Amino acid sequence: MATTTIDFKAAYGSNFLLGTVTSIDLNKKQIVVNTVNEPLKYTDLVIAVGSVGPFPGKIFVQTAVEAAAKYSELGNEVH
């Protein structure tokens, strides 16, 4: 399992679950995650596909203009 730069479990408690979604049932509003034995219900579902770039918020620049330019540059690097 991958590691993260932020301890999400400590930050979000029981509202955070690390795992891979293996199935989605849009009609029942349920997902199956490889780290849990039974389907989990949801109210809103956001699908994030990940990236190979720096973790959001880890752009080390001095100004907001520089940060915007760097994020724009990284956004053009779609694989």
Side-chain angles (χ1 to χ4, degrees):
M1 185 98 34
T3 60
T4 61
T5 57
I6 298 171
D7 186 348
F8 288 109
K9 191 70 169 172
Y12 298 105
S14 64
N15 292 317
F16 177 77
L17 172 69
L18 183 61
T20 300
V21 174
T22 58
S23 79
I24 301 171
D25 186 331
L26 297 174
N27 293 322
K28 292 182 180 179
K29 289 193 161 191
Q30 296 183 136
I31 61 170
V32 174
V33 179
N34 67 335
T35 56
V36 178
N37 292 328
E38 55 191 58
L40 302 170
K41 294 182 183 279
Y42 65 85
T43 54
D44 297 290
L45 180 63
V46 176
I47 299 174
V49 296
S51 70
V52 295
F55 192 79
K58 289 292 185 183
I59 301 297
F60 297 102
V61 294
Q62 297 299 312
T63 69
V65 172
E66 291 172 327
K70 187 64 176 171
Y71 276 116
S72 178
E73 174 190 322
L74 290 170
N76 291 328
E77 295 181 15
V78 177
H79 296 277

